[in-house]
Each structure stands twice: as C-alpha cells, then as structure tokens.
Amino acid sequence: MSRKRTLSDETKISGTDKTLIDFWNWGFSDLLSNSLRGIFAEFLIGGALDCLNQSRIEWDAYDLIYRGKKIEVKSAAYVQSWHTDTFSKISFNIGAKREYSYTTRKYSTEIRRHADVYIFCLLKEQDIDTLDPLNVSHWEFYIVPTKILDERFPSQKTISLSSLSKIAKPVRYDEIKPKIDEII
C-alpha cells in the first residue's frame, strides 16, 4: 500500500491551526537553496515535457519519464542562497550510480548512468537584485543523450560548464520539448 496521497494547500495539519501551505511557505520558499533548486528544475522540465503525471520519487535512478525515455535533471546556479563574495563555479554531477528498487528495497549491483537523456538546468542570472528562479528566462537548459556522456566522459563524476558547452548548446524553456523530441 502506498503512503502517498494527493495534498492541497488547504490540507489541515491535525491538532494545529496550520495548513499545508503554512508548512510549504515556511520550509520550501528558498528556491536558491541547492536541494530545492534541483527539485524545482525537475518540476520545470516535467512541465515543459508535460510529464508531471506522478509524484516525484526521492533518490530514484532518474527523475522523469517522457515518451518512454528516462530523463535525469541536474541543476546549478551562479548565485546561492548563502552569501558569498564570488559566483559559484558551475559543474553538474554525472556520476554513475546503483539503482535502488523500492520493491525489493535493495540497490542493484550494476553501477551506470540509468537515464536515457540528461537535462542540465543552469540558473544563469547573476544580478542578485533581479534574480528570480520563477522566471524561466533566467534559466538555460543543456540537453545531452546519455550515450554521449558515456562515450566522452565514461568515468567522470562531474562535468564543468565549459566541457558541457562543447557537446551541447543552451536552449530556452520553450525549446526543451522540441529539442527532446528531436533527440529521442
């Protein structure tokens, strides 16, 4: 039996005067934090591909399924939610990993990249005064078939933006679906 259920912003938290939107606003409003930015990037890609038909599964071997293809979404940003004097150096995790089975509750023995396509999402805006993760024009997206990563970077765990730029050109949000359709 699944413990997941569909929740709404007005779902009451039993025994309190709070609703789920109170919790979401309190805990999940900083889209510049690394973990939330990554989940938000997955949501953006799922929206662009119209494949948000099931809830997100934490620690899955890939993030989305579109037209039968497994999509891995990675994100990075120059500006972080913590204060720094310099912009972050952009790199993305592309390391191979074991796949976890929620049915058997065990990891596979095979270590590999499990997705068919990677989409690298860069929150590119560097002006902290205008930076808005909710504005898709502040993002750019790099789409790479996994077979290219496997051929060019077989054992590499991360890829820099400069290396990524040699194998893919950035696309805008409205170009994601046509580019993926072209690739697959």
Side-chain angles (χ1 to χ4, degrees):
M1 181 173 113
S2 174
R3 292 181 290 182
K4 286 189 173 193
R5 62 181 176 140
T6 302
L7 303 171
S8 77
D9 57 353
E10 292 304 317
T11 300
K12 298 284 185 193
I13 300 171
S14 298
T16 75
D17 63 346
K18 303 296 182 199
T19 63
L20 200 52
I21 195 70
D22 295 321
F23 169 64
W24 288 338
N25 283 332
W26 174 81
F28 302 98
S29 293
D30 182 5
L31 295 178
L32 289 180
S33 74
N34 287 349
S35 58
L36 282 181
R37 185 190 62 246
I39 294 169
F40 185 68
E42 292 173 23
F43 178 79
L44 285 177
I45 299 303
L49 299 175
D50 195 26
C51 62
L52 294 171
N53 50 350
Q54 68 178 32
S55 294
R56 180 178 183 274
I57 300 172
E58 187 78 17
W59 295 105
D60 215 354
Y62 49 87
D63 299 310
L64 301 164
I65 297 178
Y66 174 69
R67 292 180 50 195
K69 299 296 182 184
K70 299 170 188 172
I71 309 287
E72 181 71 12
V73 178
K74 299 296 183 182
S75 79
Y78 290 105
V79 177
Q80 306 299 321
S81 60
W82 61 89
H83 298 287
T84 61
D85 294 333
T86 59
F87 294 123
S88 293
K89 182 180 176 193
I90 302 302
S91 69
F92 300 91
N93 182 335
I94 59 168
K97 59 185 177 181
R98 296 179 194 275
E99 184 173 21
Y100 182 76
S101 168
Y102 285 89
T103 305
T104 65
R105 296 183 180 171
K106 294 181 181 177
Y107 284 95
S108 66
T109 56
E110 184 181 23
I111 299 172
R112 67 181 181 91
R113 295 178 179 123
H114 296 275
D116 299 301
V117 176
Y118 276 65
I119 302 180
F120 301 95
C121 308
L122 174 60
L123 184 54
K124 65 180 181 171
E125 182 61 47
Q126 295 181 13
D127 183 345
I128 197 160
D129 294 325
T130 61
L131 175 62
D132 181 4
L134 297 173
N135 183 342
V136 295
S137 72
H138 288 203
W139 293 81
E140 59 188 18
F141 307 91
Y142 298 79
I143 301 170
V144 180
T146 303
K147 65 182 178 184
I148 292 175
L149 293 175
D150 289 343
E151 290 167 4
R152 303 277 297 271
F153 312 100
S155 59
Q156 207 163 302
K157 294 182 180 181
T158 61
I159 187 170
S160 67
L161 183 59
S162 62
S163 293
L164 180 58
S165 296
K166 293 175 184 170
I167 60 171
K169 299 298 175 216
V171 297
R172 295 183 320 264
Y173 181 77
D174 63 337
E175 297 171 320
I176 294 169
K177 189 174 190 297
K179 183 68 174 177
I180 285 285
D181 288 341
E182 174 189 313
I183 289 173
I184 63 172

